[in-house]
Amino acid sequence: MYYSSILPEVIRIADEASEKVLHIYQSDFKVSYKEDQSPITAADTASHDIIVKGLRNLTRDIPVLSEEGAEIPWEERKHWRRFWLIDPIDGTKDFTQRTGEFTVNIAMIEDGEPVMGVVTAPALKEAFWGIKGEGASMRDRTGRIHRIRVVEPRETLRVVASKNHLNEETRTFIDSLGDHETVQAGSSLKFCRIAEGHADIYPRMGPTSEWDTAAAHAILLAAGGNVQTPQGEPLKYGKEDVLNPHFIAAGSWYF
C-alpha cells in the first residue's frame, strides 16, 4: 500500500479532529470517568467520531481500533493484518489539567508494526507525521513544515519523562544513564521530541496501551529512532492484550 498517497488526507482528518478538540478545550467542559477510573470528556468522543468516520471513508476495507471503541473482540481482531489504531486524545489528564500537552493520534499498523503515524498537539499548534522508510516531518506553530530526524546525543543525555508517570523503576533506569537532564513532555509528544532532535531517550517502565504509542512510534521510526523492550524485543501491535510491555524509545545510538 502506498501510504504517501493517503497521508495528506490522514493529516486533514487529524486536523479536523484537533479543531473540534481545541474548541471543547477552550470551553467549560465536564469530566466523566470510565470503569477503570480514567478520565473522559466530550473531546474524546468527538475526536473519535470524526477520525473513525474519516478513516472509514478513506479506506473502507481497513478496520479501525480506537481507545473509545476498544470492545472489538479478539476473535475478530486476530485476523487483521492491517488496521488503523487511534487514540482520539492521548493525555486526557493533561487535557483536563489544561497543560496543553495532549495529542490526537492516528497510526497504520501492518503485520504488527506501526508503518505510518500522524500526531497533532492542538493546543500547541504542532503536528508530526512519518512513514516507514520515507522519513518524518513536523508542522510548527507558525505553519511551517520541515523534515525532522533524531540526533546523536550530546555529552549530557536529555531524558524525556512525564511528571504524571515517573515511578521508581523509571527513576532507577534514568539514574543508571549517568549525566543527564530531564525534558518534560506529556502524552505521545515524548516520542516526537526525540524524533525532532529535542530529546535523546524516553524510558517507560509502566503501563501503556497500544493506542497510546503507535502513531508516535511510527514517527520516531521514520525519523531514524527505535522503540524496544528492555530485553531488546521490538514493540509489537495487534496483540490479544492491548497493554504494552515496558519499553525504551531512543535514537539508533542506544540500540
Side-chain angles (χ1 to χ4, degrees), residues 5 14 18 33 42 46 63 76 82 109-110 113 122 129 142 146 149 186 214 220 254:
S5 66
S18 297
Y33 292 88
E76 181 180 343
R82 181 187 291 127
I109 307 299
E110 186 175 302
E113 183 181 14
W129 54 83
T142 70
H146 47 97
R149 188 160 180 84
L220 181 55
Y254 180 80

Side-chain angles (χ1 to χ4, degrees), residues 144-222:
R144 178 172 166 262
I145 297 172
H146 47 97
R147 301 281 279 184
I148 57 174
R149 188 160 180 84
V150 299
V151 297
E152 289 293 314
R154 304 170 302 185
E155 190 171 326
T156 300
L157 276 180
R158 296 166 299 170
V159 183
V160 66
S162 168
K163 53 184 178 294
N164 290 329
H165 302 287
L166 196 57
N167 60 19
E168 193 58 40
E169 192 172 354
T170 305
R171 288 181 190 275
T172 300
F173 178 89
I174 291 173
D175 289 342
S176 75
L177 294 171
D179 192 22
H180 66 272
E181 61 186 46
T182 302
V183 178
Q184 290 289 343
S187 65
S188 59
L189 286 168
K190 292 184 281 293
F191 294 85
C192 297
R193 297 304 175 222
I194 300 172
E196 66 176 331
H198 289 174
D200 301 309
I201 187 167
Y202 164 39
R204 183 58 182 262
M205 309 304 174
T208 56
S209 295
E210 291 187 358
W211 45 72
D212 294 321
T213 58
H217 183 171
I219 293 164
L220 181 55
L221 288 175

Side-chain angles (χ1 to χ4, degrees), residues 81 83 133 211 231:
R81 177 176 170 257
F83 65 98
W211 45 72
Q231 294 75 38

Side-chain angles (χ1 to χ4, degrees), residues 90-110:
D90 182 36
T92 301
K93 285 184 180 178
D94 287 289
F95 183 92
T96 59
Q97 294 167 7
R98 298 185 188 273
T99 70
E101 296 272 325
F102 58 89
T103 55
V104 173
N105 302 263
I106 305 175
M108 173 67 79
I109 307 299
E110 186 175 302

